[in-house]
Amino acid sequence: MKFQTSALVFLIAASHSNNVSAFGISGASSHSSSYTRSSFVGSTPIRMQSTRTISTQFNNNNRGSNMSMLADGSGGIEELKQLAKEGDKLVQTARKSPNLFKAGGIAAVPAAAILGAALVPGSVLAAGAVGAVGASAGFIGKNRLDAATEAAAKPAIAQAIIDLGVDSADVAGVIQEIQSKYHVPDEDFAEMRMEVYKRYIIGMVKTPITKTAEMKELTNLRNALSLDNLAIGEAHANAAMEFYRQTSLFTPLEDLEDPDHPDRMSIDKFLFLSERAFRQGGETDEAFKYEMSRVAKAFNIKLNEALERVAEVAEPFYQKALDNTRAKLDTDAVSSDMLLRARNSLGIDDITANDMHMSAYSDEVKALLVGGDDPSTAKFVDGARERLAKLQQVLGLEDAEAGYEISVEGTPLFQSKALEAMNEVFSGSLSPQDAWKLVKDRQEQLLLKDEAMKDLLASMVMQAMGKPFEDTMTFANVNNEGATYDKLLEALEAKESCRAVLQQSGWAEFSDFDGKFFDPKSKSSACGMLSRSDRLRLFRIFLTRSVKKSESGKELTEENYNKVKEVKQMLGITDEDEAVEFRMNFGPELQKALNMAMFEIMGDDFTPDLVSNLKEIVDKTIADYKLSKNLVAEFASPIYMRAVSLVNDKSPSGIPSKEATAQLDALRDLLGMSIEDTYPAHLDIFGNQYKKSVMESMGSTGVITKEYREPLESLRTRLGVSEEASRKLYLEAMEDRMKPMVEWIVLELERTMLTAEQLARKRQKDFGEDYFKTGRGAEGTLGLGAEANIMTDCMNLIDFYTENDIAEKKQIEMKKIEKKVMEGDEQKTVTEEVPEYEVVYPITGLDSGAIQQELAELLFRQFVVGGFTTQGKQGERYEASRGTFGGILGLDKAKQDEVTGSIGGTVYENYIRNSMRTKSALDQQDMMFLANIQSKLDISPDKSEEMLLDTQKKILKEEAAILLREETTPEMVKSFREKCNSMGFELEKDLELSKESIQALFESEISPALVEGQITIDNADILSEIQESLGMDPETAENVFREVLKKRAQAVMSRIKAELLRGRAENCPELIMRLVRYAQFVNGEELEINVNESNAWKIFNMYDAMDFEGQDAESIESNKDILKVALNLA
């Protein structure tokens, strides 16, 4: 409802006697003619007796809040107290009586009304007085009062939090009531709550010292203000910008970069509280990065730097928790769960936490280690093991991590004692057993685990061996070989002492002592400090000095040899390097002995006793220097090669004598060589002689007859050539002989195909007309025939190949076969595995370069054709040799089948084409002929069937193309489709005719038949027969037929109209009858005939006047009706 101004004035006057001062108007200013809005902004608050203040209400309801004590020292609360005081007089008045202002604000309230209430007592208030003053009193609008009322809500929110505390359970509800009391819209109230939160966090960070309770305080504030994640993000971003703007006005940038400056600490605190607020709000990673980046940007830093500064704030709190954990470890007041909650609260990530845990554990280790001033007595206090184990469990450290921290402190102390014990073992003052006991005791004192011990002992071995190796290299570098030798012996003793101590452990890691500590590639190698060249030099010195230490000075005794082996292991010398050193130092002695023995044996005064005596000399040299069999074999091979060469020099015929052969056998035995070891030397020296003998054994025909086979084998034995090598030489000889034979056949082939001029250009040689045996140039064509001389030459090549046993059988796999066997009186079938072989042609025309691939295929084709066209036994011989000839040329089975298949395809096509000219299908005689071709050309049944079908398809496709391309008759189309049907071919699937082509054939057959009356409504089943025969679907056939009908009907109508136009009506009856015949198929519909009504009636009347004697009257009337429909008369 609306109040009159006078009524409102009366209401205000009646509410309180001090109504003038409530609006900030004094009695002295009543004579003023006008009042500005600013005078009300600065006024004191309106106080109304009928309304209790919100502040008083809050205090009465929540006097016992737990937060009040915390709030007293909170920078956020202090900031809210400042916020609660803000606002002009009107706003403060609105805070006291928000409902009154809202009620009075419905109408425009003149200022004079308020003045009237001030001048005239309520009991004698007169409307005239109000009007008189109102004429000059000014005006306070409705919007001004509404704004003041809404603005008062924000300080009210602040006051509610001050009075109740952020942790009060009632504060959220009270804040929500403020919205309704002050009639604030939702969106505006949300902004107010965000503003309060922003002011609160700014107040918090003004105190640079961060407290853990502030995280909870901020969370409670968020809940009290009912802010969601989006609002929190916005509030923090706005607060960051405002705080940085205020701070940067008075603080230089260099101070803000100083971590110890209070303002820098405040910014870091802000970053920390923001990070916690976003994380504890359950933000996604993407949302967290976005919100945190906004805050970081406000402070002009990158996100990564902001997070680092957050960690710098959080870590001291967690470090304090760890310190408390160590201090209270003996109580039940600490646990891993408590540390986990602390990490989650502070936002400490797992990696940082683990580092801090390790540091705390390390501090505890150091604290428990006593007596550190004396490395020999320092140890952990009693109970340290249990205390550290408990701390490890609380901190969640792995055994390896905890053990590492203990070993870091204990390792130097342990090494000092262990190295001292090892040196005493070196000097002989302490046994390995006692030394190991000292080591184990020290391990127990320092809480070292076995795994740490193993690494320490490995390091100890390297240190213990370091001094002897350094001393050894000192003498080696000044070429003092004697002292170097002695120092290496001392190093061996030190090594054995280390081995003896470590063997007391019983640990598997030390079982292969040499492999672990003296392998240069091992990380724990004691000799790794020496370079490879230094190690080889030391080994060489020790090796040569060991020989010189013998009585003769030219012998490596067994004792010294064993020491050499030990030094080899200690220096990490490989077997290959050892062999090289033996070869370099003692090889010349061995070579001298072997050379002397070779020349003596291969001399003219050879005796068996000579060999025995020389063998003793050689064996002694090998034994004195402990030379390996491999080294002897290395020197033996070239010496034997030299001996074979001497024999060849003494053999003018190139074939060694029996005496020379015996000498070589004796030398081979002395050198310890097997007969297989001598094959390379004999092949190198006598191989050409064997090949030459093979060539000579061939004679004019190129075939080696039986009488020469055995002498060739004896020669191979005499020459000392292996069977494998002799076979290779044999094939080389055969290839040399075969190559010109193939080249001759190729030349003959080209002569039959090329003219003299073509051949001369190809061969770049003038052959002349007389070269051609026929006395004429070649025809240049190739039919199914072959020149007889080529076939003869080809068979000579085959005979040469087969009679010289050039082809080889090679086993390719084992296959299972079944065979019948008799067991007693019963026959049984058993299965056994037998090898399966294939024929391999080791030398071919292609491999030898005598023929190219294209010519090889052509020559093979010519040979196959020759066998196919030749009758009788000679033809059978050609056919039997076909595969052999292809193999000799170098064609594989697949290529041979391809060539024979192409020939078969040509024969099949020619024969089938001729047969199909006179018959629609092949008869039994035709199939027998094709089977004979299949047999002669060795074509598989599957391939034969494929060729037959392909040929038939090819011929039918050609016939279809003619039908579609040229004018045809229905009889031709019918004959073609019946032929396809009889052969079982489908036009679309098998002959690959398009749908359009099949439709064209359909139309070609039915269209003339329609015109001639061969297809009528009475015999329409012919259409179904044609459709099925052509493989058309019924719907397509029907559509094509309708189009044909339409075209034919329209064509005949054109002729009828032409005849009528020319006055030749007598020519129309036959045409009209044809039109009726067409129309019968569709009851006169869908023909789309274009005819005017006059002509239509003329045509109909002519049909009606025709003589239908003898025809069924009902059919005649039906045809008339159909004609009317066709002529558009119905």
Side-chain angles (χ1 to χ4, degrees):
M1 62 182 294
K2 297 184 179 179
F3 290 93
Q4 293 295 328
T5 305
S6 58
L8 178 60
V9 171
F10 175 81
L11 180 62
I12 295 174
S15 66
H16 199 279
S17 61
N18 193 19
N19 48 50
V20 177
S21 61
F23 283 94
I25 305 175
S26 63
S29 61
S30 61
H31 301 286
S32 175
S33 60
S34 66
Y35 294 87
T36 63
R37 292 179 62 188
S38 61
S39 65
F40 289 94
V41 173
S43 301
T44 57
I46 299 175
R47 300 185 184 275
M48 305 182 70
Q49 292 178 344
S50 60
T51 304
R52 299 178 62 191
T53 65
I54 293 176
S55 175
T56 305
Q57 182 180 9
F58 288 167
N59 287 329
N60 291 340
N61 293 341
N62 297 280
R63 196 171 300 278
S65 172
N66 294 331
M67 193 62 192
S68 59
M69 294 179 63
L70 177 62
D72 289 343
S74 169
I77 292 296
E78 294 301 320
E79 188 71 19
L80 291 190
K81 289 180 180 180
Q82 180 66 29
L83 175 60
K85 297 177 182 179
E86 294 176 359
D88 56 22
K89 294 294 184 179
L90 189 60
V91 170
Q92 294 180 15
T93 301
R95 285 182 57 196
K96 302 300 181 180
S97 303
N99 292 327
L100 178 62
F101 265 80
K102 283 295 179 180
I106 295 174
V109 181
I114 301 174
L115 294 176
L119 298 173
V120 183
S123 58
V124 292
L125 182 65
V130 173
V133 179
S136 59
F139 188 84
I140 302 175
K142 169 183 176 294
N143 291 338
R144 176 71 179 92
L145 293 177
D146 288 349
T149 304
E150 292 177 4
K154 184 163 58 176
I157 296 172
Q159 190 63 49
I161 295 173
I162 294 169
D163 294 340
L164 297 176
V166 294
D167 60 344
S168 171
D170 300 326
V171 66
V174 172
I175 291 174
Q176 196 61 42
E177 290 176 5
I178 291 174
Q179 180 182 5
S180 60
K181 287 182 179 181
Y182 287 86
H183 305 282
V184 183
D186 291 344
E187 184 176 351
D188 294 342
F189 197 65
E191 291 289 339
M192 292 180 184
R193 287 182 282 126
M194 286 171 53
E195 179 66 19
V196 170
Y197 184 93
K198 182 187 79 171
R199 294 284 295 271
Y200 195 96
I201 190 173
I202 290 176
M204 291 180 74
V205 299
K206 285 181 179 177
T207 303
I209 304 302
T210 306
K211 302 176 183 178
T212 54
E214 289 174 322
M215 294 183 291
K216 179 67 174 176
E217 183 181 344
L218 208 56
T219 300
N220 289 335
L221 177 64
R222 169 185 180 151
N223 296 333
L225 294 172
S226 304
L227 297 176
D228 57 18
N229 287 348
L230 290 175
I232 290 295
E234 193 68 25
H236 275 262
N238 293 336
M241 288 187 288
E242 182 173 335
F243 182 70
Y244 187 70
R245 179 181 57 78
Q246 296 172 0
T247 304
S248 59
L249 286 176
F250 305 102
T251 306
L253 182 60
E254 55 269 20
D255 289 342
L256 293 180
E257 293 176 352
D258 180 7
D260 296 326
H261 193 279
D263 288 343
R264 163 63 183 266
M265 295 172 64
S266 292
I267 292 176
D268 290 349
K269 179 178 180 178
F270 193 106
L271 293 170
F272 171 72
L273 293 176
S274 297
E275 189 270 347
R276 288 292 80 208
F278 300 150
R279 284 297 190 193
Q280 292 174 351
E283 292 281 21
T284 64
D285 288 341
E286 292 77 6
F288 171 80
K289 290 179 180 178
Y290 171 73
E291 299 293 0
M292 198 65 196
S293 296
R294 294 174 68 194
V295 173
K297 185 178 180 180
F299 290 117
N300 200 25
I301 59 176
K302 300 293 185 181
L303 175 61
N304 290 340
E305 182 182 350
L307 295 178
E308 290 174 1
R309 288 164 67 166
V310 168
E312 291 172 358
V313 174
E315 289 174 12
F317 291 111
Y318 192 62
Q319 183 59 52
K320 186 175 180 180
L322 293 176
D323 293 341
N324 290 335
T325 298
R326 290 178 56 202
K328 300 177 181 179
L329 188 62
D330 294 332
T331 69
D332 294 331
V334 294
S335 67
S336 58
D337 290 338
M338 293 174 62
L339 290 178
L340 177 61
R341 288 194 294 272
R343 290 198 299 275
N344 291 339
S345 176
L346 294 169
I348 302 295
D349 61 74
D350 292 342
I351 296 177
T352 303
N354 188 70
D355 291 342
M356 297 180 71
H357 288 186
M358 292 282 289
S359 179
Y361 190 84
S362 176
D363 292 341
E364 186 67 20
V365 169
K366 294 174 183 176
L368 296 176
L369 190 62
V370 297
D373 295 337
D374 185 357
S376 63
T377 60
K379 64 177 182 179
F380 284 99
V381 299
D382 294 339
R385 186 187 302 274
E386 293 75 16
R387 181 175 174 84
L388 288 175
K390 185 175 182 180
L391 182 59
Q392 177 188 345
Q393 185 270 329
V394 172
L395 297 178
L397 298 178
E398 300 288 342
D399 289 343
E401 294 174 324
Y404 171 79
E405 295 299 334
I406 294 174
S407 66
V408 166
E409 300 300 324
T411 293
L413 304 176
F414 175 81
Q415 286 179 327
S416 175
K417 188 67 175 179
L419 196 57
E420 178 184 341
M422 190 63 69
N423 288 330
E424 291 182 13
V425 175
F426 291 170
S427 64
S429 60
L430 192 66
S431 68
Q433 293 80 5
D434 292 338
W436 180 250
K437 185 177 183 305
L438 290 175
V439 169
K440 289 295 290 181
D441 291 344
R442 193 61 176 147
Q443 175 189 2
E444 183 66 23
Q445 293 171 357
L446 297 174
L447 305 183
L448 296 174
K449 295 184 178 181
D450 284 351
E451 290 303 318
M453 276 279 290
K454 292 171 185 177
D455 292 336
L456 291 174
L457 290 173
S459 175
M460 183 193 70
V461 171
M462 289 188 282
Q463 292 183 53
M465 294 301 299
K467 183 66 166 59
F469 281 146
E470 287 179 5
D471 293 344
T472 302
M473 283 306 304
T474 299
F475 291 110
N477 288 333
V478 295
N479 297 323
N480 189 341
E481 295 187 356
T484 300
Y485 178 84
D486 294 337
K487 286 299 179 182
L488 283 172
L489 290 177
E490 291 178 11
L492 277 178
E493 293 176 0
K495 171 190 171 186
E496 292 306 316
S497 296
C498 292
R499 186 202 303 270
V501 173
L502 266 59
Q503 282 180 344
Q504 300 298 317
S505 69
W507 290 331
E509 287 82 354
F510 298 149
S511 59
D512 183 11
F513 186 81
D514 289 334
K516 182 173 181 62
F517 295 108
F518 295 97
D519 180 0
K521 297 185 293 295
S522 172
K523 64 179 181 179
S524 58
S525 173
C527 64
M529 59 178 290
L530 301 174
S531 67
R532 180 174 181 274
S533 60
D534 286 339
R535 290 185 286 106
L536 288 174
R537 181 152 60 106
L538 294 178
F539 180 71
R540 188 178 307 119
I541 291 172
F542 193 85
L543 178 61
T544 56
R545 294 294 295 185
S546 296
V547 172
K548 293 178 181 179
K549 289 284 184 179
S550 66
E551 293 183 5
S552 64
K554 294 184 178 182
E555 178 186 359
L556 185 60
T557 64
E558 194 67 31
E559 179 183 358
N560 289 342
Y561 178 69
N562 291 334
K563 289 182 179 179
V564 168
K565 285 293 187 181
E566 292 176 10
V567 171
K568 173 197 170 189
Q569 290 290 339
M570 182 176 68
L571 295 176
I573 303 299
T574 64
D575 292 341
E576 292 77 12
D577 287 338
E578 179 192 29
V580 170
E581 293 298 330
F582 269 81
R583 187 183 190 283
M584 289 174 55
N585 289 282
F586 310 130
E589 292 293 329
L590 175 62
Q591 186 168 23
K592 183 169 65 174
L594 293 178
N595 272 330
M596 182 270 293
M598 185 271 291
F599 283 114
E600 289 291 339
I601 291 174
M602 301 310 298
D604 296 332
D605 195 10
F606 168 75
T607 65
D609 291 338
L610 174 65
V611 176
S612 300
N613 294 331
L614 291 173
K615 183 171 177 56
E616 290 180 6
I617 296 172
V618 171
D619 289 347
K620 184 177 186 307
T621 303
I622 294 172
D624 285 348
Y625 293 106
K626 304 296 186 292
L627 303 179
S628 66
K629 290 183 179 180
N630 289 337
L631 183 59
V632 174
E634 183 181 345
F635 281 89
S637 293
I639 289 175
Y640 187 83
M641 173 69 80
R642 178 75 182 280
V644 176
S645 181
L646 291 174
V647 171
N648 185 53
D649 294 340
K650 295 179 181 180
S651 306
S653 64
I655 301 175
S657 63
K658 292 182 179 180
E659 292 77 10
T661 302
Q663 288 174 297
L664 288 174
D665 291 342
L667 178 62
R668 184 190 71 224
D669 292 339
L670 181 139
L671 295 175
M673 300 175 67
S674 66
I675 190 169
E676 288 77 14
D677 294 335
T678 65
Y679 283 152
H682 285 265
L683 176 62
D684 189 56
I685 302 300
F686 299 124
N688 287 335
Q689 181 60 42
Y690 181 79
K691 179 179 178 181
K692 178 182 177 183
S693 299
V694 172
M695 295 290 290
E696 292 173 350
S697 301
M698 292 183 191
S700 59
T701 62
V703 176
I704 301 178
T705 57
K706 291 183 177 180
E707 60 266 24
Y708 288 105
R709 297 293 178 91
E710 187 174 343
L712 276 176
E713 178 61 22
S714 299
L715 177 63
R716 182 193 70 79
T717 304
R718 174 76 66 82
L719 296 176
V721 179
S722 67
E723 291 185 11
E724 181 181 356
S726 65
R727 175 64 179 175
K728 184 177 180 181
L729 293 169
Y730 180 83
L731 293 177
E732 288 178 4
M734 291 298 165
E735 185 177 38
D736 291 345
R737 186 62 180 267
M738 186 186 81
K739 185 174 180 180
M741 297 175 68
V742 176
E743 290 174 342
W744 170 260
I745 296 173
V746 171
L747 187 61
E748 284 293 291
L749 175 66
E750 292 176 337
R751 188 184 64 80
T752 62
M753 298 177 61
L754 304 175
T755 63
E757 292 78 12
Q758 291 173 331
L759 185 61
R761 284 197 300 270
K762 179 176 176 60
R763 295 283 180 167
Q764 295 184 352
K765 179 181 178 181
D766 185 9
F767 289 88
E769 281 299 322
D770 58 341
Y771 176 80
F772 295 91
K773 295 182 178 180
T774 58
R776 59 176 174 81
E779 297 282 333
T781 60
L782 176 64
L784 285 180
E787 296 288 341
N789 59 312
I790 291 181
M791 296 302 293
T792 301
D793 292 335
C794 291
M795 290 307 300
N796 288 339
L797 176 62
I798 294 171
D799 292 341
F800 165 81
Y801 210 94
T802 54
E803 292 182 25
N804 283 319
D805 296 327
I806 298 176
E808 301 171 351
K809 280 187 176 182
K810 179 182 178 182
Q811 182 178 336
I812 54 176
E813 62 181 6
M814 298 292 292
K815 66 177 182 179
K816 292 183 178 181
I817 62 169
E818 292 183 350
K819 66 177 184 178
K820 305 291 185 180
V821 296
M822 296 297 298
E823 291 187 4
D825 297 334
E826 184 180 359
Q827 186 183 53
K828 291 186 176 181
T829 301
V830 296
T831 302
E832 66 177 30
E833 284 191 345
V834 296
E836 184 175 2
Y837 296 93
E838 68 174 355
V839 178
V840 177
Y841 298 87
I843 57 173
T844 65
L846 286 173
D847 291 340
S848 67
I851 190 172
Q852 301 300 314
Q853 180 72 31
E854 184 179 354
L855 279 174
E857 294 177 17
L858 184 58
L859 181 57
F860 180 72
R861 177 184 177 88
Q862 191 77 339
F863 185 84
V864 174
V865 170
F868 178 73
T869 56
T870 303
Q871 303 298 322
K873 293 184 177 181
Q874 187 66 13
E876 294 176 1
R877 184 166 178 249
Y878 290 160
E879 291 175 14
S881 303
R882 182 169 56 234
T884 302
F885 185 67
I888 294 171
L889 292 177
L891 303 178
D892 57 26
K893 184 68 166 59
K895 181 57 69 176
Q896 294 180 40
D897 291 344
E898 179 183 335
V899 174
T900 54
S902 67
I903 297 172
T906 301
V907 176
Y908 271 45
E909 181 177 344
N910 290 338
Y911 184 82
I912 294 172
R913 190 182 298 277
N914 292 332
S915 297
M916 291 180 66
R917 288 174 181 169
T918 58
K919 60 186 86 170
S920 61
L922 301 178
D923 55 26
Q924 184 177 2
Q925 183 179 357
D926 296 327
M927 299 307 295
M928 289 178 63
F929 177 81
L930 294 177
N932 182 45
I933 296 175
Q934 172 191 339
S935 175
K936 290 178 71 68
L937 294 178
D938 192 23
I939 301 173
S940 66
D942 292 342
K943 184 65 177 178
S944 175
E945 183 178 357
E946 179 185 344
M947 291 168 57
L948 175 61
L949 292 176
D950 289 344
T951 301
Q952 291 175 324
K953 290 179 183 178
K954 180 180 179 181
I955 294 172
L956 291 173
K957 285 180 182 179
E958 293 174 355
E959 188 172 342
I962 294 173
L963 291 174
L964 294 169
R965 186 175 62 249
E966 301 176 359
E967 291 187 7
T968 185
T969 64
E971 291 75 15
M972 294 171 63
V973 176
K974 180 180 181 181
S975 174
F976 170 73
R977 61 179 174 80
E978 288 179 348
K979 187 185 299 183
C980 294
N981 295 155
S982 66
M983 294 182 181
F985 292 131
E986 297 181 18
L987 276 69
E988 183 176 359
K989 178 181 178 181
D990 298 320
L991 301 188
E992 300 177 349
L993 294 184
S994 65
K995 294 183 182 295
E996 293 75 10
S997 298
I998 296 173
Q999 293 171 16
L1001 292 175
F1002 179 71
E1003 183 175 349
S1004 297
E1005 185 171 356
I1006 66 171
S1007 186
L1010 280 171
V1011 175
E1012 299 296 330
Q1014 297 172 2
I1015 298 178
T1016 65
I1017 190 67
D1018 297 326
N1019 63 352
D1021 55 341
I1022 296 177
L1023 294 172
S1024 298
E1025 176 190 344
I1026 299 173
Q1027 167 248 317
E1028 292 175 358
S1029 179
L1030 291 174
M1032 299 175 65
D1033 63 84
E1035 184 179 354
T1036 301
E1038 182 179 349
N1039 291 336
V1040 174
F1041 179 69
R1042 287 180 182 275
E1043 288 298 319
V1044 171
L1045 276 178
K1046 188 189 299 183
K1047 287 191 294 184
R1048 287 301 177 186
Q1050 292 172 355
V1052 75
M1053 176 54 68
S1054 296
R1055 289 188 59 188
I1056 292 172
K1057 289 191 293 183
E1059 294 294 335
L1060 292 175
L1061 181 63
R1062 290 166 175 76
R1064 297 196 293 261
E1066 66 275 11
N1067 293 338
C1068 292
E1070 174 59 28
L1071 298 175
I1072 295 173
M1073 290 295 292
R1074 190 185 304 174
L1075 177 62
V1076 171
R1077 197 163 63 245
Y1078 296 158
Q1080 287 175 338
F1081 285 100
V1082 291
N1083 292 324
E1085 299 175 349
E1086 302 179 7
L1087 296 180
E1088 299 178 9
I1089 293 175
N1090 183 18
V1091 59
N1092 58 43
E1093 185 176 358
S1094 175
N1095 283 336
W1097 282 113
K1098 287 180 182 179
I1099 295 170
F1100 179 79
N1101 291 334
M1102 291 178 66
Y1103 182 77
D1104 187 50
M1106 290 181 186
D1107 183 8
F1108 297 108
E1109 184 179 356
Q1111 295 187 22
D1112 181 59
E1114 185 177 350
S1115 297
I1116 295 171
E1117 291 302 318
S1118 175
N1119 289 340
K1120 290 179 180 179
D1121 292 339
I1122 291 172
L1123 181 59
K1124 280 186 176 182
V1125 173
L1127 296 173
N1128 300 317
L1129 298 176

